[in-house]
Amino acid sequence: MHLSNRSRTNPPSGIRTMFALAANYPDAANLGVGEPNYATPEHIVERAVRALREGATKYTPNAGIAELRKALAAKLAAENAIPGTERNILVATGACETLMLCISSLLDPGDELLIPDPCWPNYLGQVHLAGGVAVPVRTYAEDAFHMRAKSLEEAITPRTKALLLNSPSNPTGAVLRREELSDIAEVIRRHDLAVISDEPYEHLLYDGRVHVSLASLPGMADRVLTVNSFSKTYAMTGWRVGFVHGPEEIIASMARLQENFSSCVNAAAQVACLAALDGPQDAVEKMRLGYQRRRDLLVEGLRSIPGVRCHMPEGAFYAFPDISAFGKSSEEMARLLLEKAGVVTVPGNAFGAAGEGFLRLSFAASETTIETALERMRAFLTSLA
Ligand SMILES: Cc1ncc(COP(=O)(O)O)c(C=O)c1O
């Protein structure tokens, strides 16, 4: 059989490459995975079980069940200051598929999508699959990886269609402030561009930071597709439910495309997501406080290792330490840490050229795993110095 050119040249995710390597080291302390180690809150699980018994076992409309779309429109209006109705909402299989639908809806072959560098590597694979061109907008460690409006503007060409923004950021933990978003919005409006704003970590914020959705800024609602997910907020990664808010005609077109991808999201999972939105939110806050403790533990531990520098992540659940002082590439360092120290990390270059010299370490793991990883890293890195 002949593999298509597009599938042969689709870039692999450096995160998945590390997972595959790590499978050979079952005793390694794993800080590679961007997945909550918390269980999905019980009332959500119970609602899914009941939904299955009550017959939520059939196809649903392409855009999702009406009750969930309505509840999501209400959530976005109340929490994110993005007005709309269920006609502005589409439910899809995780933020993953939601993003693929957004990218497929906006880009024609050869069109350029601006993406932050470093960024979550799936964006690159998705743009490639849609026949588009991903153009990096470099961000800098000295700005704690906040995107500068000036760098954004410099990357715009006549082929630029849209910007993909991700705040809080995977992998850097950067949370853009309202003023920074206003400057970015001004560039977007002036160049008449669209934006895909990927916000799955909106509830994972530390030290009093607040999440601002770009679509809530003046004149932006018609230009922004706001993507989100139940995966991180409610520890529901395996349920695969994401959603997007956008102009009605784009959402209607995505619903048509959805028929070709997965037709619709698992029916019982959609009902469970209604319970997540309607039910008590204290589990979300408890998990956030847990991540904050783990962040402090991890970052303080990393900073105490000679040669490691680490900015404090403002959101999400990743530390992004600078390990360039050891004179090894990020890929070599991640491999050595796995093979010699028994610690799984992800090399920074998996997130773009600007990630070279850094590692991504997830603090969605347990405190015991974080402590073990720190001890092993300290011993190994000290032996290198
Ligand atoms: C920035 C970002 N966007 C989207 C996703 C995909 O999330 P989901 O599980 O909803 O597909 C992830 C998952 O790691 C992510 O880090």
Side-chain angles (χ1 to χ4, degrees):
M1 232 184 268
H2 185 74
L3 264 182
S4 71
N5 192 28
R6 196 165 279 181
S7 83
R8 259 187 300 110
T9 55
N10 194 248
S13 155
I15 304 177
R16 287 280 169 185
T17 309
M18 269 322 276
F19 285 6
L21 279 179
N24 303 321
Y25 299 84
D27 296 329
N30 197 335
L31 302 188
V33 205
E35 172 160 76
N37 78 325
Y38 296 112
T40 303
E42 194 52 29
H43 70 280
I44 301 175
V45 177
E46 280 306 317
R47 189 66 194 93
V49 171
R50 187 147 61 83
L52 283 169
R53 295 224 163 86
E54 289 169 354
T57 54
K58 311 277 188 202
Y59 292 126
T60 77
N62 294 129
I65 57 175
E67 300 89 316
L68 181 57
R69 293 174 72 200
K70 274 189 200 139
L72 285 167
K75 170 250 176 299
L76 284 157
E79 276 184 14
N80 304 76
I82 307 176
T85 71
E86 72 265 31
R87 288 194 300 281
N88 299 104
I89 305 288
L90 171 118
V91 180
T93 305
C96 259
E97 192 210 2
T98 313
L99 285 161
M100 195 64 227
L101 286 166
C102 293
I103 291 168
S104 306
S105 299
L106 295 185
L107 298 192
D108 281 316
D111 283 346
E112 292 176 359
L113 179 68
L114 302 170
I115 51 162
D117 182 6
C119 73
W120 187 50
N122 292 42
Y123 300 148
L124 301 174
Q126 294 185 322
V127 174
H128 174 274
L129 209 52
V133 180
V135 175
V137 178
R138 190 168 181 121
T139 62
Y140 298 90
E142 63 259 36
D143 300 332
F145 296 102
H146 285 225
M147 184 181 283
R148 297 177 187 165
K150 186 168 175 293
S151 308
L152 169 65
E153 187 145 31
E154 282 166 3
I156 294 173
T157 76
R159 297 281 342 223
T160 307
K161 269 284 177 67
L163 162 71
L164 202 161
L165 205 61
N166 172 224
S167 173
S169 155
N170 173 6
T172 67
V175 175
L176 296 177
R177 291 186 296 274
R178 183 178 290 278
E179 315 81 76
E180 294 170 317
L181 287 167
S182 290
D183 292 347
I184 289 172
E186 195 275 316
V187 175
I188 295 296
R189 279 192 301 264
R190 194 147 39 77
H191 290 269
D192 195 19
L193 299 177
V195 183
I196 302 169
S197 183
D198 185 25
E199 306 179 7
Y201 298 97
E202 67 168 338
H203 288 290
L204 302 182
L205 300 164
Y206 312 113
D207 308 327
R209 297 256 165 15
V210 287
H211 175 70
V212 179
S213 286
L214 188 70
S216 70
L217 298 191
M220 294 305 284
D222 288 347
R223 311 186 163 269
V224 182
L225 299 174
T226 305
V227 173
N228 210 321
S229 165
F230 288 83
S231 288
K232 318 285 177 174
T233 306
Y234 296 100
M236 290 179 73
T237 44
W239 297 70
R240 312 304 306 127
V241 190
F243 57 95
V244 53
H245 174 287
E248 275 185 45
E249 61 283 10
I250 309 263
I251 295 294
S253 139
M254 279 195 222
R256 275 197 310 280
L257 291 189
Q258 170 85 304
E259 181 61 24
N260 304 305
F261 281 88
S262 60
S263 181
C264 65
V265 171
N266 175 302
Q270 291 189 56
V271 179
C273 287
L274 257 179
L277 293 173
D278 287 349
Q281 301 296 308
D282 48 335
V284 176
E285 177 59 5
K286 228 165 120 187
M287 290 190 272
R288 188 191 69 80
L289 290 171
Y291 294 132
Q292 178 148 332
R293 271 197 312 277
R294 295 163 179 198
R295 176 198 70 155
D296 294 346
L297 176 70
L298 179 60
V299 173
E300 275 161 29
L302 288 169
R303 284 176 172 174
S304 71
I305 301 174
V308 178
R309 283 187 298 162
C310 191
H311 68 276
M312 191 54 94
E314 302 156 330
F317 41 52
Y318 307 100
F320 203 59
D322 179 341
I323 44 86
S324 57
F326 295 93
K328 302 200 181 301
S329 73
S330 60
E331 227 171 283
E332 193 183 357
M333 184 59 103
R335 198 176 40 76
L336 284 172
L337 281 171
L338 176 63
E339 291 172 358
K340 308 276 185 223
V343 180
V344 187
T345 62
V346 182
N349 75 338
F351 303 93
E356 185 46 62
F358 295 81
L359 293 174
R360 190 194 76 171
L361 279 68
S362 161
F363 50 88
S366 73
E367 282 173 42
T368 316
T369 306
I370 292 171
E371 274 161 359
T372 307
L374 281 171
E375 255 171 52
R376 293 179 182 181
M377 284 181 77
R378 183 189 313 283
F380 176 70
L381 294 174
T382 314
S383 77
L384 279 187

